[in-house]
Amino acid sequence: MSAALVTLLAVLAVGMLLRAPIAFAMLASGIAYLVVKGQDLGLAAEQILNGLYNGYVLLAVPLFIFAANLMNAGSISERLFQLSRVMVGRMRGGLAQVNIVVSVIFSGMSGSAIADAAGPGLVSIKQMLKKPQYSPGFAGAVVVAGATIGPIIPPSIPMVLYALVSGTSVGALFLGGVLPGLLMAALLMLGVHIIAKRRDMPRDDPVKAGELPGIVLRGLLPLTLPLVLLTGIYTGAFTPTEAAAVAALHALVLAGGVYRAFSPRALFAVTLESLRASAVITMIIAAAYLLNYAFAAEGIPNQLALWVSGLHLSQLQFLLLVNGVFLLLGCFLDVSVMLLVFVPMLIPTATLLGIDLVHFGVVVVVNMMIGLVTPPFGMLLFVTNALTGIPLKDMVREGWPFTALLVLALLLMTLFPQIVLWLPQSMGYVTH
């Protein structure tokens, strides 16, 4: 490695060890690289601005964040919870099963695991903790596991970021996530059933016949959002980026206009929080452009591709190796960092081995969602702990069976690419 690259890695490592914001550590390491390399520091601004201005698909990220926050600020999460309660509440461990189903429904609206945990997840935990048979650790573990489905079933913010760095079709990625998301949900529901049966967890109280029509009607209206989004994208009425704007408008009209769930002051607070979250992601994206320039200048992606080629790995062996590395990295690094810094270095290798980039993208995103529930830095664990006060150690202890099931789902979609590719191919997307 060159002295400039060693400096970059050293500054990045020091910044992370000092617990500096990851975007600042990345920017500092990129600038240090330019200094040691003797290049004009203005190159940093050029790389960042060119990347951001040419990344039209990036507009989808703040809009999906805004849409998810609007739904959480309104009463949509509660309405979806009650609808899911009607659907699966009478199963053994009914409230835990309801949480997984509501996560599947909400994932078709938000594209964010954090929004899922903070919205429907919080509603589910409050309901479960009213029953003594549900321990706080179990309630939190079910919620964080179910929230991983959020960015798999479309829309998906991580898949938008993957499309940015890989050039893959956002529409194909969205379709590719449908069956894997449903597979994850099915395995988690099976896990809940086994645990609930062993612990004799209760079924939910039956819904009175007179209340049923009202609950269904109140819950059906939010379901129009994923219908509008997916129909619009796959009929060509609007692009995935424009779909994000449609999602935000739909959520605003539904929560603010139809349900009148928040005041102008609450809307301002939602907008401010969305801006803050978008700024954090944008800073990481900007810093990633600078690091990607450094890695490309050093020829790291091509060298990695040649090295892997020399190992004579098969497609499956490479994917299993990537899964192992990302499962480990997911315990320590943010999803955005892995998607924007590490994944671009692997794209040439995946292409060289003939791996379909839609399949590769969905597998990588699922892998990173598992990282959100694995200690010591599982983001969903910390979010749920902050919202509910449930101890981290209790969620980790109760959550390992669900993490194992998510890894099983990851292994199945790695071994059988058609779980990912069948739907995009059926809809006419050309995959390679």
PDB file of all heavy atoms in Angstrom, residues 60 64 67-68 71 104-113 149-160 170 173-175 178 225-227 229-230 233-234 240 243-244 247:
ATOM      1  N   ALA A  60     -34.450  10.345  -3.524  1.00  0.00           N
ATOM      2  CA  ALA A  60     -35.428   9.439  -2.925  1.00  0.00           C
ATOM      3  C   ALA A  60     -35.190   9.272  -1.426  1.00  0.00           C
ATOM      4  O   ALA A  60     -36.139   9.031  -0.668  1.00  0.00           O
ATOM      5  CB  ALA A  60     -35.373   8.076  -3.621  1.00  0.00           C
ATOM      6  N   PHE A  64     -38.224   9.489   1.296  1.00  0.00           N
ATOM      7  CA  PHE A  64     -38.706   8.292   1.993  1.00  0.00           C
ATOM      8  C   PHE A  64     -38.598   8.471   3.510  1.00  0.00           C
ATOM      9  O   PHE A  64     -39.456   8.002   4.261  1.00  0.00           O
ATOM     10  CB  PHE A  64     -37.914   7.057   1.551  1.00  0.00           C
ATOM     11  CG  PHE A  64     -38.399   6.455   0.256  1.00  0.00           C
ATOM     12  CD1 PHE A  64     -37.510   6.093  -0.740  1.00  0.00           C
ATOM     13  CD2 PHE A  64     -39.753   6.227   0.038  1.00  0.00           C
ATOM     14  CE1 PHE A  64     -37.943   5.545  -1.932  1.00  0.00           C
ATOM     15  CE2 PHE A  64     -40.206   5.674  -1.164  1.00  0.00           C
ATOM     16  CZ  PHE A  64     -39.296   5.330  -2.145  1.00  0.00           C
ATOM     17  N   ALA A  67     -41.551  10.620   4.500  1.00  0.00           N
ATOM     18  CA  ALA A  67     -42.794   9.852   4.451  1.00  0.00           C
ATOM     19  C   ALA A  67     -42.917   8.954   5.679  1.00  0.00           C
ATOM     20  O   ALA A  67     -43.991   8.874   6.304  1.00  0.00           O
ATOM     21  CB  ALA A  67     -42.851   9.011   3.174  1.00  0.00           C
ATOM     22  N   ALA A  68     -41.828   8.268   6.049  1.00  0.00           N
ATOM     23  CA  ALA A  68     -41.867   7.373   7.210  1.00  0.00           C
ATOM     24  C   ALA A  68     -42.129   8.149   8.495  1.00  0.00           C
ATOM     25  O   ALA A  68     -42.925   7.717   9.342  1.00  0.00           O
ATOM     26  CB  ALA A  68     -40.550   6.611   7.318  1.00  0.00           C
ATOM     27  N   MET A  71     -45.767   9.151   8.768  1.00  0.00           N
ATOM     28  CA  MET A  71     -46.647   8.045   9.155  1.00  0.00           C
ATOM     29  C   MET A  71     -46.525   7.732  10.638  1.00  0.00           C
ATOM     30  O   MET A  71     -47.506   7.385  11.291  1.00  0.00           O
ATOM     31  CB  MET A  71     -46.334   6.813   8.306  1.00  0.00           C
ATOM     32  CG  MET A  71     -46.820   6.952   6.861  1.00  0.00           C
ATOM     33  SD  MET A  71     -46.569   5.471   5.885  1.00  0.00           S
ATOM     34  CE  MET A  71     -44.808   5.555   5.577  1.00  0.00           C
ATOM     35  N   VAL A 104     -44.258  -6.172   8.028  1.00  0.00           N
ATOM     36  CA  VAL A 104     -44.340  -6.447   6.589  1.00  0.00           C
ATOM     37  C   VAL A 104     -45.155  -5.365   5.888  1.00  0.00           C
ATOM     38  O   VAL A 104     -44.771  -4.844   4.833  1.00  0.00           O
ATOM     39  CB  VAL A 104     -44.963  -7.837   6.337  1.00  0.00           C
ATOM     40  CG1 VAL A 104     -45.260  -8.036   4.850  1.00  0.00           C
ATOM     41  CG2 VAL A 104     -44.030  -8.938   6.833  1.00  0.00           C
ATOM     42  N   ILE A 105     -46.296  -5.001   6.482  1.00  0.00           N
ATOM     43  CA  ILE A 105     -47.150  -3.986   5.862  1.00  0.00           C
ATOM     44  C   ILE A 105     -46.457  -2.630   5.857  1.00  0.00           C
ATOM     45  O   ILE A 105     -46.432  -1.928   4.842  1.00  0.00           O
ATOM     46  CB  ILE A 105     -48.499  -3.901   6.611  1.00  0.00           C
ATOM     47  CG1 ILE A 105     -49.252  -5.233   6.501  1.00  0.00           C
ATOM     48  CG2 ILE A 105     -49.353  -2.766   6.042  1.00  0.00           C
ATOM     49  CD1 ILE A 105     -50.511  -5.292   7.358  1.00  0.00           C
ATOM     50  N   PHE A 106     -45.881  -2.255   7.001  1.00  0.00           N
ATOM     51  CA  PHE A 106     -45.244  -0.940   7.124  1.00  0.00           C
ATOM     52  C   PHE A 106     -44.014  -0.846   6.227  1.00  0.00           C
ATOM     53  O   PHE A 106     -43.668   0.247   5.758  1.00  0.00           O
ATOM     54  CB  PHE A 106     -44.853  -0.696   8.581  1.00  0.00           C
ATOM     55  CG  PHE A 106     -44.513   0.739   8.890  1.00  0.00           C
ATOM     56  CD1 PHE A 106     -45.521   1.677   9.053  1.00  0.00           C
ATOM     57  CD2 PHE A 106     -43.207   1.144   9.024  1.00  0.00           C
ATOM     58  CE1 PHE A 106     -45.227   3.002   9.344  1.00  0.00           C
ATOM     59  CE2 PHE A 106     -42.893   2.472   9.310  1.00  0.00           C
ATOM     60  CZ  PHE A 106     -43.908   3.397   9.472  1.00  0.00           C
ATOM     61  N   SER A 107     -43.349  -1.976   5.976  1.00  0.00           N
ATOM     62  CA  SER A 107     -42.161  -1.953   5.111  1.00  0.00           C
ATOM     63  C   SER A 107     -42.515  -1.542   3.694  1.00  0.00           C
ATOM     64  O   SER A 107     -41.656  -1.033   2.964  1.00  0.00           O
ATOM     65  CB  SER A 107     -41.488  -3.329   5.107  1.00  0.00           C
ATOM     66  OG  SER A 107     -42.319  -4.295   4.479  1.00  0.00           O
ATOM     67  N   GLY A 108     -43.765  -1.766   3.291  1.00  0.00           N
ATOM     68  CA  GLY A 108     -44.197  -1.336   1.965  1.00  0.00           C
ATOM     69  C   GLY A 108     -44.485   0.148   1.884  1.00  0.00           C
ATOM     70  O   GLY A 108     -44.941   0.632   0.841  1.00  0.00           O
ATOM     71  N   MET A 109     -44.205   0.871   2.968  1.00  0.00           N
ATOM     72  CA  MET A 109     -44.467   2.312   2.991  1.00  0.00           C
ATOM     73  C   MET A 109     -43.240   3.139   3.339  1.00  0.00           C
ATOM     74  O   MET A 109     -43.099   4.262   2.883  1.00  0.00           O
ATOM     75  CB  MET A 109     -45.559   2.618   4.030  1.00  0.00           C
ATOM     76  CG  MET A 109     -46.839   1.844   3.835  1.00  0.00           C
ATOM     77  SD  MET A 109     -48.035   2.197   5.140  1.00  0.00           S
ATOM     78  CE  MET A 109     -49.272   0.965   4.771  1.00  0.00           C
ATOM     79  N   SER A 110     -42.336   2.595   4.177  1.00  0.00           N
ATOM     80  CA  SER A 110     -41.284   3.455   4.723  1.00  0.00           C
ATOM     81  C   SER A 110     -39.906   3.191   4.150  1.00  0.00           C
ATOM     82  O   SER A 110     -39.165   4.119   3.866  1.00  0.00           O
ATOM     83  CB  SER A 110     -41.224   3.276   6.244  1.00  0.00           C
ATOM     84  OG  SER A 110     -40.650   2.027   6.588  1.00  0.00           O
ATOM     85  N   GLY A 111     -39.492   1.930   4.015  1.00  0.00           N
ATOM     86  CA  GLY A 111     -38.145   1.620   3.531  1.00  0.00           C
ATOM     87  C   GLY A 111     -37.064   1.798   4.573  1.00  0.00           C
ATOM     88  O   GLY A 111     -35.878   1.801   4.262  1.00  0.00           O
ATOM     89  N   SER A 112     -37.448   1.924   5.844  1.00  0.00           N
ATOM     90  CA  SER A 112     -36.475   2.184   6.901  1.00  0.00           C
ATOM     91  C   SER A 112     -36.719   1.267   8.086  1.00  0.00           C
ATOM     92  O   SER A 112     -37.833   1.206   8.614  1.00  0.00           O
ATOM     93  CB  SER A 112     -36.564   3.644   7.360  1.00  0.00           C
ATOM     94  OG  SER A 112     -35.872   3.841   8.575  1.00  0.00           O
ATOM     95  N   ALA A 113     -35.672   0.558   8.532  1.00  0.00           N
ATOM     96  CA  ALA A 113     -35.790  -0.311   9.699  1.00  0.00           C
ATOM     97  C   ALA A 113     -35.992   0.501  10.966  1.00  0.00           C
ATOM     98  O   ALA A 113     -36.761   0.111  11.859  1.00  0.00           O
ATOM     99  CB  ALA A 113     -34.538  -1.186   9.818  1.00  0.00           C
ATOM    100  N   ILE A 149     -37.096  -6.343   8.296  1.00  0.00           N
ATOM    101  CA  ILE A 149     -37.824  -6.555   7.041  1.00  0.00           C
ATOM    102  C   ILE A 149     -38.070  -5.227   6.325  1.00  0.00           C
ATOM    103  O   ILE A 149     -38.211  -5.178   5.101  1.00  0.00           O
ATOM    104  CB  ILE A 149     -39.165  -7.265   7.312  1.00  0.00           C
ATOM    105  CG1 ILE A 149     -38.919  -8.605   8.017  1.00  0.00           C
ATOM    106  CG2 ILE A 149     -39.956  -7.488   6.030  1.00  0.00           C
ATOM    107  CD1 ILE A 149     -40.185  -9.272   8.535  1.00  0.00           C
ATOM    108  N   GLY A 150     -38.089  -4.112   7.098  1.00  0.00           N
ATOM    109  CA  GLY A 150     -38.450  -2.801   6.545  1.00  0.00           C
ATOM    110  C   GLY A 150     -37.729  -2.425   5.268  1.00  0.00           C
ATOM    111  O   GLY A 150     -38.358  -2.019   4.283  1.00  0.00           O
ATOM    112  N   PRO A 151     -36.391  -2.523   5.205  1.00  0.00           N
ATOM    113  CA  PRO A 151     -35.674  -2.129   3.988  1.00  0.00           C
ATOM    114  C   PRO A 151     -35.554  -3.241   2.941  1.00  0.00           C
ATOM    115  O   PRO A 151     -34.875  -3.061   1.947  1.00  0.00           O
ATOM    116  CB  PRO A 151     -34.269  -1.770   4.513  1.00  0.00           C
ATOM    117  CG  PRO A 151     -34.423  -1.645   5.988  1.00  0.00           C
ATOM    118  CD  PRO A 151     -35.480  -2.614   6.347  1.00  0.00           C
ATOM    119  N   ILE A 152     -36.191  -4.397   3.160  1.00  0.00           N
ATOM    120  CA  ILE A 152     -36.111  -5.485   2.186  1.00  0.00           C
ATOM    121  C   ILE A 152     -37.311  -5.446   1.249  1.00  0.00           C
ATOM    122  O   ILE A 152     -37.168  -5.454   0.021  1.00  0.00           O
ATOM    123  CB  ILE A 152     -36.018  -6.851   2.899  1.00  0.00           C
ATOM    124  CG1 ILE A 152     -34.901  -6.840   3.940  1.00  0.00           C
ATOM    125  CG2 ILE A 152     -35.786  -7.958   1.870  1.00  0.00           C
ATOM    126  CD1 ILE A 152     -33.541  -6.468   3.397  1.00  0.00           C
ATOM    127  N   ILE A 153     -38.518  -5.409   1.812  1.00  0.00           N
ATOM    128  CA  ILE A 153     -39.713  -5.255   0.989  1.00  0.00           C
ATOM    129  C   ILE A 153     -39.778  -3.793   0.529  1.00  0.00           C
ATOM    130  O   ILE A 153     -39.600  -2.882   1.321  1.00  0.00           O
ATOM    131  CB  ILE A 153     -40.966  -5.650   1.786  1.00  0.00           C
ATOM    132  CG1 ILE A 153     -40.926  -7.159   2.099  1.00  0.00           C
ATOM    133  CG2 ILE A 153     -42.236  -5.293   1.028  1.00  0.00           C
ATOM    134  CD1 ILE A 153     -42.071  -7.646   2.943  1.00  0.00           C
ATOM    135  N   PRO A 154     -40.014  -3.548  -0.773  1.00  0.00           N
ATOM    136  CA  PRO A 154     -39.945  -2.167  -1.291  1.00  0.00           C
ATOM    137  C   PRO A 154     -41.035  -1.283  -0.709  1.00  0.00           C
ATOM    138  O   PRO A 154     -42.117  -1.770  -0.365  1.00  0.00           O
ATOM    139  CB  PRO A 154     -40.151  -2.369  -2.799  1.00  0.00           C
ATOM    140  CG  PRO A 154     -40.893  -3.666  -2.911  1.00  0.00           C
ATOM    141  CD  PRO A 154     -40.379  -4.523  -1.788  1.00  0.00           C
ATOM    142  N   PRO A 155     -40.703   0.047  -0.611  1.00  0.00           N
ATOM    143  CA  PRO A 155     -39.452   0.708  -1.008  1.00  0.00           C
ATOM    144  C   PRO A 155     -38.351   0.479   0.012  1.00  0.00           C
ATOM    145  O   PRO A 155     -38.622   0.010   1.120  1.00  0.00           O
ATOM    146  CB  PRO A 155     -39.851   2.184  -1.058  1.00  0.00           C
ATOM    147  CG  PRO A 155     -40.934   2.297  -0.022  1.00  0.00           C
ATOM    148  CD  PRO A 155     -41.701   0.999  -0.079  1.00  0.00           C
ATOM    149  N   SER A 156     -37.122   0.815  -0.364  1.00  0.00           N
ATOM    150  CA  SER A 156     -35.980   0.538   0.498  1.00  0.00           C
ATOM    151  C   SER A 156     -34.909   1.599   0.324  1.00  0.00           C
ATOM    152  O   SER A 156     -34.386   1.773  -0.787  1.00  0.00           O
ATOM    153  CB  SER A 156     -35.399  -0.840   0.163  1.00  0.00           C
ATOM    154  OG  SER A 156     -34.141  -1.023   0.770  1.00  0.00           O
ATOM    155  N   ILE A 157     -34.577   2.292   1.402  1.00  0.00           N
ATOM    156  CA  ILE A 157     -33.512   3.294   1.335  1.00  0.00           C
ATOM    157  C   ILE A 157     -32.146   2.649   1.077  1.00  0.00           C
ATOM    158  O   ILE A 157     -31.390   3.128   0.218  1.00  0.00           O
ATOM    159  CB  ILE A 157     -33.502   4.145   2.620  1.00  0.00           C
ATOM    160  CG1 ILE A 157     -34.776   4.995   2.693  1.00  0.00           C
ATOM    161  CG2 ILE A 157     -32.262   5.046   2.678  1.00  0.00           C
ATOM    162  CD1 ILE A 157     -34.953   5.739   4.002  1.00  0.00           C
ATOM    163  N   PRO A 158     -31.772   1.547   1.775  1.00  0.00           N
ATOM    164  CA  PRO A 158     -30.475   0.924   1.463  1.00  0.00           C
ATOM    165  C   PRO A 158     -30.356   0.441   0.024  1.00  0.00           C
ATOM    166  O   PRO A 158     -29.274   0.501  -0.561  1.00  0.00           O
ATOM    167  CB  PRO A 158     -30.402  -0.254   2.447  1.00  0.00           C
ATOM    168  CG  PRO A 158     -31.254   0.159   3.587  1.00  0.00           C
ATOM    169  CD  PRO A 158     -32.377   0.936   2.970  1.00  0.00           C
ATOM    170  N   MET A 159     -31.455  -0.017  -0.570  1.00  0.00           N
ATOM    171  CA  MET A 159     -31.379  -0.465  -1.958  1.00  0.00           C
ATOM    172  C   MET A 159     -31.193   0.710  -2.912  1.00  0.00           C
ATOM    173  O   MET A 159     -30.560   0.575  -3.962  1.00  0.00           O
ATOM    174  CB  MET A 159     -32.612  -1.284  -2.325  1.00  0.00           C
ATOM    175  CG  MET A 159     -32.621  -2.665  -1.698  1.00  0.00           C
ATOM    176  SD  MET A 159     -33.992  -3.676  -2.267  1.00  0.00           S
ATOM    177  CE  MET A 159     -33.852  -5.085  -1.141  1.00  0.00           C
ATOM    178  N   VAL A 160     -31.742   1.854  -2.549  1.00  0.00           N
ATOM    179  CA  VAL A 160     -31.490   3.057  -3.354  1.00  0.00           C
ATOM    180  C   VAL A 160     -30.002   3.402  -3.320  1.00  0.00           C
ATOM    181  O   VAL A 160     -29.396   3.729  -4.348  1.00  0.00           O
ATOM    182  CB  VAL A 160     -32.331   4.244  -2.825  1.00  0.00           C
ATOM    183  CG1 VAL A 160     -31.893   5.553  -3.481  1.00  0.00           C
ATOM    184  CG2 VAL A 160     -33.812   3.999  -3.089  1.00  0.00           C
ATOM    185  N   VAL A 170     -33.145   0.363  -9.821  1.00  0.00           N
ATOM    186  CA  VAL A 170     -33.845   0.444  -8.541  1.00  0.00           C
ATOM    187  C   VAL A 170     -35.114  -0.397  -8.581  1.00  0.00           C
ATOM    188  O   VAL A 170     -35.448  -1.108  -7.623  1.00  0.00           O
ATOM    189  CB  VAL A 170     -34.180   1.904  -8.188  1.00  0.00           C
ATOM    190  CG1 VAL A 170     -34.996   1.974  -6.900  1.00  0.00           C
ATOM    191  CG2 VAL A 170     -32.916   2.732  -8.042  1.00  0.00           C
ATOM    192  N   LEU A 173     -34.279  -4.033  -8.126  1.00  0.00           N
ATOM    193  CA  LEU A 173     -33.906  -4.287  -6.733  1.00  0.00           C
ATOM    194  C   LEU A 173     -35.141  -4.327  -5.835  1.00  0.00           C
ATOM    195  O   LEU A 173     -35.256  -5.188  -4.956  1.00  0.00           O
ATOM    196  CB  LEU A 173     -32.938  -3.212  -6.245  1.00  0.00           C
ATOM    197  CG  LEU A 173     -31.508  -3.291  -6.785  1.00  0.00           C
ATOM    198  CD1 LEU A 173     -30.760  -2.002  -6.474  1.00  0.00           C
ATOM    199  CD2 LEU A 173     -30.768  -4.478  -6.174  1.00  0.00           C
ATOM    200  N   PHE A 174     -36.055  -3.386  -6.045  1.00  0.00           N
ATOM    201  CA  PHE A 174     -37.280  -3.364  -5.250  1.00  0.00           C
ATOM    202  C   PHE A 174     -38.053  -4.674  -5.418  1.00  0.00           C
ATOM    203  O   PHE A 174     -38.495  -5.283  -4.441  1.00  0.00           O
ATOM    204  CB  PHE A 174     -38.162  -2.186  -5.662  1.00  0.00           C
ATOM    205  CG  PHE A 174     -37.746  -0.869  -5.047  1.00  0.00           C
ATOM    206  CD1 PHE A 174     -36.581  -0.760  -4.298  1.00  0.00           C
ATOM    207  CD2 PHE A 174     -38.510   0.267  -5.218  1.00  0.00           C
ATOM    208  CE1 PHE A 174     -36.194   0.443  -3.727  1.00  0.00           C
ATOM    209  CE2 PHE A 174     -38.144   1.484  -4.651  1.00  0.00           C
ATOM    210  CZ  PHE A 174     -36.979   1.567  -3.908  1.00  0.00           C
ATOM    211  N   LEU A 175     -38.215  -5.115  -6.667  1.00  0.00           N
ATOM    212  CA  LEU A 175     -38.919  -6.377  -6.910  1.00  0.00           C
ATOM    213  C   LEU A 175     -38.158  -7.552  -6.314  1.00  0.00           C
ATOM    214  O   LEU A 175     -38.749  -8.490  -5.770  1.00  0.00           O
ATOM    215  CB  LEU A 175     -39.106  -6.593  -8.415  1.00  0.00           C
ATOM    216  CG  LEU A 175     -40.282  -5.874  -9.076  1.00  0.00           C
ATOM    217  CD1 LEU A 175     -40.264  -6.117 -10.573  1.00  0.00           C
ATOM    218  CD2 LEU A 175     -41.604  -6.339  -8.488  1.00  0.00           C
ATOM    219  N   VAL A 178     -38.959  -8.500  -2.600  1.00  0.00           N
ATOM    220  CA  VAL A 178     -40.295  -8.900  -2.130  1.00  0.00           C
ATOM    221  C   VAL A 178     -40.283 -10.306  -1.528  1.00  0.00           C
ATOM    222  O   VAL A 178     -40.675 -10.514  -0.372  1.00  0.00           O
ATOM    223  CB  VAL A 178     -41.313  -8.819  -3.284  1.00  0.00           C
ATOM    224  CG1 VAL A 178     -42.658  -9.395  -2.842  1.00  0.00           C
ATOM    225  CG2 VAL A 178     -41.490  -7.371  -3.738  1.00  0.00           C
ATOM    226  N   LEU A 225     -51.021   3.213  -0.065  1.00  0.00           N
ATOM    227  CA  LEU A 225     -49.708   3.785  -0.370  1.00  0.00           C
ATOM    228  C   LEU A 225     -48.799   2.798  -1.108  1.00  0.00           C
ATOM    229  O   LEU A 225     -48.303   3.118  -2.196  1.00  0.00           O
ATOM    230  CB  LEU A 225     -49.036   4.307   0.894  1.00  0.00           C
ATOM    231  CG  LEU A 225     -47.613   4.847   0.719  1.00  0.00           C
ATOM    232  CD1 LEU A 225     -47.551   5.915  -0.360  1.00  0.00           C
ATOM    233  CD2 LEU A 225     -47.081   5.396   2.037  1.00  0.00           C
ATOM    234  N   PRO A 226     -48.535   1.582  -0.565  1.00  0.00           N
ATOM    235  CA  PRO A 226     -47.693   0.662  -1.339  1.00  0.00           C
ATOM    236  C   PRO A 226     -48.303   0.296  -2.671  1.00  0.00           C
ATOM    237  O   PRO A 226     -47.577   0.069  -3.654  1.00  0.00           O
ATOM    238  CB  PRO A 226     -47.550  -0.563  -0.416  1.00  0.00           C
ATOM    239  CG  PRO A 226     -48.633  -0.441   0.599  1.00  0.00           C
ATOM    240  CD  PRO A 226     -48.892   1.019   0.753  1.00  0.00           C
ATOM    241  N   LEU A 227     -49.630   0.242  -2.745  1.00  0.00           N
ATOM    242  CA  LEU A 227     -50.291  -0.067  -4.012  1.00  0.00           C
ATOM    243  C   LEU A 227     -50.005   1.013  -5.050  1.00  0.00           C
ATOM    244  O   LEU A 227     -49.656   0.721  -6.208  1.00  0.00           O
ATOM    245  CB  LEU A 227     -51.804  -0.202  -3.786  1.00  0.00           C
ATOM    246  CG  LEU A 227     -52.635  -0.592  -5.009  1.00  0.00           C
ATOM    247  CD1 LEU A 227     -52.243  -1.979  -5.492  1.00  0.00           C
ATOM    248  CD2 LEU A 227     -54.127  -0.551  -4.671  1.00  0.00           C
ATOM    249  N   LEU A 229     -47.481   3.180  -4.992  1.00  0.00           N
ATOM    250  CA  LEU A 229     -46.048   3.206  -5.280  1.00  0.00           C
ATOM    251  C   LEU A 229     -45.654   2.132  -6.286  1.00  0.00           C
ATOM    252  O   LEU A 229     -45.014   2.409  -7.302  1.00  0.00           O
ATOM    253  CB  LEU A 229     -45.247   3.014  -3.984  1.00  0.00           C
ATOM    254  CG  LEU A 229     -45.185   4.172  -2.995  1.00  0.00           C
ATOM    255  CD1 LEU A 229     -44.295   3.801  -1.821  1.00  0.00           C
ATOM    256  CD2 LEU A 229     -44.658   5.421  -3.663  1.00  0.00           C
ATOM    257  N   LEU A 230     -46.001   0.890  -5.972  1.00  0.00           N
ATOM    258  CA  LEU A 230     -45.555  -0.211  -6.817  1.00  0.00           C
ATOM    259  C   LEU A 230     -46.215  -0.159  -8.188  1.00  0.00           C
ATOM    260  O   LEU A 230     -45.564  -0.415  -9.208  1.00  0.00           O
ATOM    261  CB  LEU A 230     -45.842  -1.545  -6.127  1.00  0.00           C
ATOM    262  CG  LEU A 230     -45.084  -1.765  -4.817  1.00  0.00           C
ATOM    263  CD1 LEU A 230     -45.435  -3.116  -4.215  1.00  0.00           C
ATOM    264  CD2 LEU A 230     -43.581  -1.679  -5.039  1.00  0.00           C
ATOM    265  N   ILE A 233     -44.476   2.646 -10.203  1.00  0.00           N
ATOM    266  CA  ILE A 233     -43.112   2.320 -10.624  1.00  0.00           C
ATOM    267  C   ILE A 233     -43.122   1.320 -11.763  1.00  0.00           C
ATOM    268  O   ILE A 233     -42.446   1.490 -12.790  1.00  0.00           O
ATOM    269  CB  ILE A 233     -42.298   1.774  -9.435  1.00  0.00           C
ATOM    270  CG1 ILE A 233     -42.031   2.884  -8.416  1.00  0.00           C
ATOM    271  CG2 ILE A 233     -40.972   1.185  -9.920  1.00  0.00           C
ATOM    272  CD1 ILE A 233     -41.391   2.387  -7.134  1.00  0.00           C
ATOM    273  N   TYR A 234     -43.927   0.255 -11.629  1.00  0.00           N
ATOM    274  CA  TYR A 234     -43.837  -0.847 -12.583  1.00  0.00           C
ATOM    275  C   TYR A 234     -44.703  -0.661 -13.816  1.00  0.00           C
ATOM    276  O   TYR A 234     -44.622  -1.445 -14.750  1.00  0.00           O
ATOM    277  CB  TYR A 234     -44.131  -2.166 -11.868  1.00  0.00           C
ATOM    278  CG  TYR A 234     -43.156  -2.387 -10.742  1.00  0.00           C
ATOM    279  CD1 TYR A 234     -43.573  -2.576  -9.435  1.00  0.00           C
ATOM    280  CD2 TYR A 234     -41.782  -2.342 -10.971  1.00  0.00           C
ATOM    281  CE1 TYR A 234     -42.669  -2.724  -8.396  1.00  0.00           C
ATOM    282  CE2 TYR A 234     -40.869  -2.487  -9.936  1.00  0.00           C
ATOM    283  CZ  TYR A 234     -41.318  -2.680  -8.663  1.00  0.00           C
ATOM    284  OH  TYR A 234     -40.411  -2.824  -7.641  1.00  0.00           O
ATOM    285  N   PRO A 240     -38.628   5.494  -9.600  1.00  0.00           N
ATOM    286  CA  PRO A 240     -38.523   5.243  -8.158  1.00  0.00           C
ATOM    287  C   PRO A 240     -38.230   6.502  -7.356  1.00  0.00           C
ATOM    288  O   PRO A 240     -38.699   6.645  -6.228  1.00  0.00           O
ATOM    289  CB  PRO A 240     -37.361   4.239  -8.072  1.00  0.00           C
ATOM    290  CG  PRO A 240     -37.404   3.503  -9.372  1.00  0.00           C
ATOM    291  CD  PRO A 240     -37.812   4.538 -10.382  1.00  0.00           C
ATOM    292  N   ALA A 243     -41.345   8.284  -7.090  1.00  0.00           N
ATOM    293  CA  ALA A 243     -42.213   7.533  -6.186  1.00  0.00           C
ATOM    294  C   ALA A 243     -42.013   7.974  -4.745  1.00  0.00           C
ATOM    295  O   ALA A 243     -42.952   7.960  -3.940  1.00  0.00           O
ATOM    296  CB  ALA A 243     -41.943   6.039  -6.324  1.00  0.00           C
ATOM    297  N   ALA A 244     -40.782   8.345  -4.403  1.00  0.00           N
ATOM    298  CA  ALA A 244     -40.513   8.816  -3.043  1.00  0.00           C
ATOM    299  C   ALA A 244     -41.286  10.100  -2.764  1.00  0.00           C
ATOM    300  O   ALA A 244     -41.811  10.296  -1.654  1.00  0.00           O
ATOM    301  CB  ALA A 244     -39.015   9.039  -2.854  1.00  0.00           C
ATOM    302  N   ALA A 247     -44.831   9.161  -2.239  1.00  0.00           N
ATOM    303  CA  ALA A 247     -45.001   8.577  -0.908  1.00  0.00           C
ATOM    304  C   ALA A 247     -45.102   9.667   0.155  1.00  0.00           C
ATOM    305  O   ALA A 247     -45.950   9.597   1.058  1.00  0.00           O
ATOM    306  CB  ALA A 247     -43.840   7.639  -0.592  1.00  0.00           C
TER     307      ALA A 247
END
